[in-house]
Amino acid sequence: MKTISIINLKGGVAKTISAANIAHILATVHGKRVLLIDNDKQGNISKMFRIHRYENPSIAELLTGRNANIYEIITPSQYETLDIIPANMTLIKANLEVLLDPSRPQQTRLRTALKGIAGDYDYCVIDCAPDINISTINALVASQEVWIPIKIDNFAFDGLAELKEQIENIKEDFNPELSLYGCFVTSYQNNEVNRQGEAWLHEQKDYPVFHTHIRRTEKVDESTFANAPILEYSRRCGAARDYLSLVTEYLETVSDSDTRGGK
Ligand SMILES: Nc1ncnc2c1ncn2[C@@H]1O[C@H](COP(=O)(O)OP(=O)(O)OP(=O)(O)O)[C@@H](O)[C@H]1O
Ligand SMILES: [Mg+2]
């Protein structure tokens, strides 16, 4: 199982939209077995896939519970090969509880929990909160790849250096397999600001960048009201086609480097 954390310290840059749609495309277009983890108290992924319920166990129990049964937490979606670990506001308390309980390792709990089910999935995609807290640290410790969605505006690159430093620290202390796989531009508009911002990003040697950007389309906002992946809501809109291209670009790069024995 390849585990991908979608993260940016900035809010509202399309982390959730990207995690949901990348996971949905990997599962329904490419036939991969995918586990999508909602790792944000806002529970937007859980709401989008209509599994947001306080009576069911969630990521909070996985992080705090000694005997949490991951099979009881994993919830099937309406798509055959896409399962979800939900989240809700109980994650706030869970984060505190983890911090107050040093009797067990605090940063490796998600990784330990996922070990038992790694053979059941090809990909695990984790939607993170716009923050570095103990649950995002757990996500990074459990991941091989970090993908960073970036929405170009005046503050677009704030926090990027800090995030990169966190990735380096976690790589050194807990998870030598972790790498910043790629940044990708979201909500792209064909204007000077976006063109310049994207060009700047491509010039940065420290930040790998996907060629594909995701165009801004009103349909994406609408799809959140419909609680539907963009491919189902509007298959032909720019954002749907771009998410398809992003996943194809990724799978081609992965299979290229596999045949070369790289990355
Ligand atoms: N390609 C797009 N075109 C138009 N709107 C978009 C696009 N991608 C995302 N949005 C909109 O941007 C908003 C933020 O998206 P999203 O919730 O995925 O961001 P986020 O980074 O997960 O936010 P948070 O930091 O709160 O978790 C949503 O209203 C979403 O509909
Ligand atoms: Mg989000």
Side-chain angles (χ1 to χ4, degrees):
M1 180 173 80
K2 175 76 62 78
T3 303
I4 301 168
S5 275
I6 312 271
I7 186 167
N8 187 324
L9 301 185
K10 274 180 60 65
V13 298
K15 293 180 293 296
T16 301
I17 292 288
S18 299
N21 286 299
I22 290 164
H24 176 254
I25 290 168
L26 280 168
T28 61
V29 177
H30 298 280
K32 306 289 185 191
R33 298 166 305 161
V34 183
L35 177 64
L36 175 59
I37 302 185
D38 192 344
N39 191 27
D40 184 351
K41 63 182 184 302
Q42 299 179 91
N44 292 343
I45 288 278
S46 311
K47 289 174 185 164
M48 189 181 250
F49 289 90
R50 302 167 202 247
I51 56 161
H52 188 263
R53 311 216 195 323
Y54 277 95
E55 55 275 24
N56 294 347
S58 63
I59 179 100
E61 281 73 18
L62 209 57
L63 293 172
T64 55
R66 271 166 216 282
N67 301 313
N69 181 350
I70 192 165
Y71 291 104
E72 280 171 17
I73 298 175
I74 291 176
T75 310
S77 73
Q78 56 269 55
Y79 308 99
E80 206 183 322
T81 57
L82 177 61
D83 292 341
I84 299 173
I85 290 182
N88 55 48
M89 288 286 172
T90 58
L91 186 55
I92 301 173
K93 208 166 143 224
N95 273 338
L96 255 178
E97 233 179 287
V98 174
L99 287 176
L100 293 173
D101 171 22
S103 70
R104 284 188 303 143
Q106 292 155 309
Q107 297 89 347
T108 53
R109 294 185 185 190
L110 184 61
R111 177 165 75 190
T112 306
L114 293 179
K115 258 192 195 133
I117 51 102
D120 298 345
Y121 297 96
D122 301 306
Y123 288 96
C124 171
V125 179
I126 311 180
D127 176 35
C128 291
D131 199 1
I132 288 285
N133 55 32
I134 195 67
S135 60
T136 42
I137 290 173
N138 265 271
L140 293 172
V141 171
S143 297
Q144 286 89 49
E145 296 177 7
V146 178
W147 294 21
I148 306 180
I150 293 179
K151 183 178 171 204
I152 305 285
D153 61 21
N154 191 17
F155 315 112
F157 307 114
D158 291 359
L160 258 193
E162 286 78 5
L163 179 54
K164 190 150 195 293
E165 195 182 321
Q166 287 291 341
I167 294 168
E168 292 304 324
N169 290 344
I170 287 168
K171 190 179 160 99
E172 208 170 304
D173 295 340
F174 298 103
N175 181 11
E177 285 183 71
L178 185 67
S179 77
L180 167 52
Y181 192 86
C183 305
F184 58 99
V185 173
T186 60
S187 278
Y188 182 87
Q189 296 180 79
N190 196 10
N191 59 28
E192 200 49 33
V193 169
N194 273 264
R195 277 192 295 272
Q196 282 187 15
E198 193 177 43
W200 181 86
L201 203 54
H202 279 285
E203 284 163 18
Q204 307 309 305
K205 294 210 170 52
D206 287 348
Y207 297 95
V209 187
F210 283 93
H211 293 295
T212 308
H213 59 217
I214 312 297
R215 278 168 285 177
R216 177 170 171 72
T217 321
E218 272 174 29
K219 298 279 180 206
V220 175
D221 278 335
E222 293 172 22
S223 74
T224 65
F225 287 102
N227 284 324
I230 192 64
L231 211 55
E232 286 219 332
Y233 184 74
S234 175
R235 195 176 184 90
R236 277 192 268 161
C237 77
R241 282 187 277 154
D242 294 340
Y243 276 116
L244 280 169
S245 303
L246 185 76
V247 173
T248 301
E249 179 184 343
Y250 172 64
L251 292 174
E252 282 174 2
T253 317
V254 174
S255 71
D256 263 13
S257 63
D258 279 353
T259 47
R260 281 191 235 120
K263 205 156 191 172

